[in-house]
């Protein structure tokens, strides 16, 4: 078997590919890994259908693309129901297997994920891909959406391009959560993730294309007052998430979606929190990155 990829929408041949022809449960040879990397450089999002993975299988597949990062849990120390620290819970299942009640703090992450963001931009590490495995999904709602930040840059008015290029955004780990009313973080937790500056525009190394890079994690923009910067970020997110730049994925059990955090924004959509939803995320760093700290 060999990797087969077709555009999800022929009208957008450079955004979202439907991938088939390989079994993600098996180790992939180096040629296939390179082919997936090339496809990611082109499409930014790859959708695999009918690929139900165990926890171990998702970890094994993801690690072929680089070291894994456990994200915000490194600061919060929140307990997990998974075998692996690097599996991130994108669902509403409590530690005991029941559906989490509305006062369960883990649901804050479910709600924060409904804001447009790229994963872990608030860390000073080279985050690359994220991957979601769908185990149980509600019949209604709960879609995931991705926005193409390369096409968004191309479509910006020239004056806006000149205005934003060269500026940086300050990304803060807890900014979006505090905005949603969760202010109960210790100084020690906040210190785990000091704010990180990232360009509002960068060049994607895989494709050579320019990328507009706003995010809900941005608290301020260089050379602007805080209100001006936040309004600019809101304007850029509004531009980048217009329907012509967005793919909406309706989940089925066994779906596996990979995306490039360097070229996309994503968000989850609202669903009935009393209905079970179990999605599991892994996030990779650049393959040649050597973490300074190794998490268990």
């Amino acid at each position: 078997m060999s990797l087969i990829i077709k555009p999800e929408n022929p009208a957008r041949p450079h955004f979202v590919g439907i991938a088939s022809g390989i079994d993600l449960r098996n180790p992939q040879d180096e040629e296939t890994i390179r082919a997936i990397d090339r496809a990611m450089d082109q499409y930014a999002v790859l959708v695999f259908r009918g690929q139900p993975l165990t926890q171990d299988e998702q970890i094994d597949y993801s690690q072929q693309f680089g070291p894994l990062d456990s994200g915000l849990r490194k600061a919060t120390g929140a307990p997990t129901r998974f075998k692996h620290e690097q599996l991130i819970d994108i669902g509403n299942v409590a530690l005991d297997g029941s559906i989490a009640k509305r006062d369960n703090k883990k649901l804050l992450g479910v709600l924060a994920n409904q804001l447009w963001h790229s994963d872990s931009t608030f860390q000073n590490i080279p985050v690359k891909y994220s991957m979601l495995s769908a185990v149980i999904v509600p019949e209604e709602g709960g879609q995931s959406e991705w926005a193409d930040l390369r096409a968004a840059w191309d479509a910006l008015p020239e004056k806006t391009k000149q205005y934003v290029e060269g500026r940086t955004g300050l990304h803060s780990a807890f900014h979006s959560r505090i905005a949603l009313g969760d202010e109960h973080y210790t100084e020690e937790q906040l210190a785990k993730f000091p704010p990180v500056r990232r360009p509002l525009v960068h060049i994607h190394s895989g494709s050579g294309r320019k990328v507009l890079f706003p995010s809900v994690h941005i608290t301020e923009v260089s050379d602007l007052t805080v209100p001006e910067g936040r309004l600019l970020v809101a304007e850029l997110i509004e531009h980048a998430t217009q329907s012509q730049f967005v793919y909406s994925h309706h989940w089925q059990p066994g779906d596996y979606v990979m995306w490039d955090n360097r070229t996309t924004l994503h968000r989850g959509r609202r669903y009935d929190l009393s209905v079970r939803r179990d999605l599991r995320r892994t996030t990779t760093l650049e393959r040649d990155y050597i973490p300074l700290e190794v998490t268990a």
Side-chain angles (χ1 to χ4, degrees), residues 175 218-221 223-233:
H175 177 58
I218 296 175
T219 65
E220 60 183 70
V221 174
D223 301 321
L224 296 177
T225 65
V226 170
E228 286 178 306
R230 292 183 181 180
L231 287 171
L232 176 61
V233 170

Side-chain angles (χ1 to χ4, degrees), residues 8 12 15-18 40 43-49 90 113 115-119 128-134 142-152 237 240-251 255-269 277 279-282:
E8 182 274 334
R12 293 191 298 199
F15 187 52
V16 186
I18 305 300
M40 290 289 286
Y43 294 103
V45 180
L46 292 182
V47 177
F48 295 84
R49 298 279 194 183
I90 311 294
N113 279 329
L115 301 169
W116 286 107
H117 65 285
S118 294
D119 290 330
K128 190 173 183 182
Y129 300 151
S130 283
M131 312 180 196
L132 264 184
S133 176
Q143 302 92 339
S144 294
E145 295 180 336
W146 285 268
D148 184 354
L149 299 180
R150 305 159 304 174
I237 290 176
T241 58
Q242 296 176 83
S243 59
Q244 64 263 38
F245 307 134
V246 171
Y247 165 70
S248 182
H249 184 73
H250 296 258
W251 291 99
D255 284 356
Y256 195 86
V257 178
M258 300 177 60
W259 67 93
D260 191 332
N261 283 295
R262 303 166 301 174
T263 61
T264 60
L265 291 177
H266 66 279
R267 69 174 179 179
R269 303 300 285 138
R277 185 177 189 258
L279 275 74
R280 302 165 181 182
R281 195 189 93 207
T282 41

Side-chain angles (χ1 to χ4, degrees), residues 141-250:
Q143 302 92 339
S144 294
E145 295 180 336
W146 285 268
D148 184 354
L149 299 180
R150 305 159 304 174
W153 167 260
D154 292 343
L156 265 185
E158 200 60 40
K159 285 188 176 180
T160 307
K161 288 181 177 179
Q162 294 172 11
Y163 186 71
V164 301
E165 196 159 16
R167 297 188 188 274
T168 60
L170 189 67
H171 294 243
S172 175
F174 301 98
H175 177 58
S176 61
R177 291 173 178 245
I178 291 172
L180 293 178
D182 181 35
E183 301 175 350
H184 305 294
Y185 295 102
T186 67
E187 289 298 321
E188 183 181 5
Q189 288 174 327
L190 295 172
K192 292 264 187 174
F193 289 137
V196 174
R197 285 209 171 270
R198 294 187 180 275
L200 279 181
V201 182
H202 68 251
I203 296 177
H204 179 238
S205 60
S207 64
R209 295 180 64 183
K210 277 192 175 181
V211 177
L212 181 66
F213 206 64
S215 171
V216 73
H217 295 315
I218 296 175
T219 65
E220 60 183 70
V221 174
S222 60
D223 301 321
L224 296 177
T225 65
V226 170
E228 286 178 306
R230 292 183 181 180
L231 287 171
L232 176 61
V233 170
E235 175 188 331
L236 296 177
I237 290 176
E238 182 179 14
H239 166 78
T241 58
Q242 296 176 83
S243 59
Q244 64 263 38
F245 307 134
V246 171
Y247 165 70
S248 182
H249 184 73
H250 296 258

Side-chain angles (χ1 to χ4, degrees), residues 67-69 86 88 119 127 129-130 261 281-285:
L68 302 186
D69 181 68
Q86 299 92 343
I88 299 169
D119 290 330
V127 174
Y129 300 151
S130 283
N261 283 295
R281 195 189 93 207
T282 41
T283 294
T284 78
L285 309 179

Side-chain angles (χ1 to χ4, degrees), residues 69-82:
D69 181 68
S70 54
L72 202 61
R73 289 191 61 255
K74 291 187 294 189
T76 64
T80 178
R81 62 191 175 93
F82 297 138

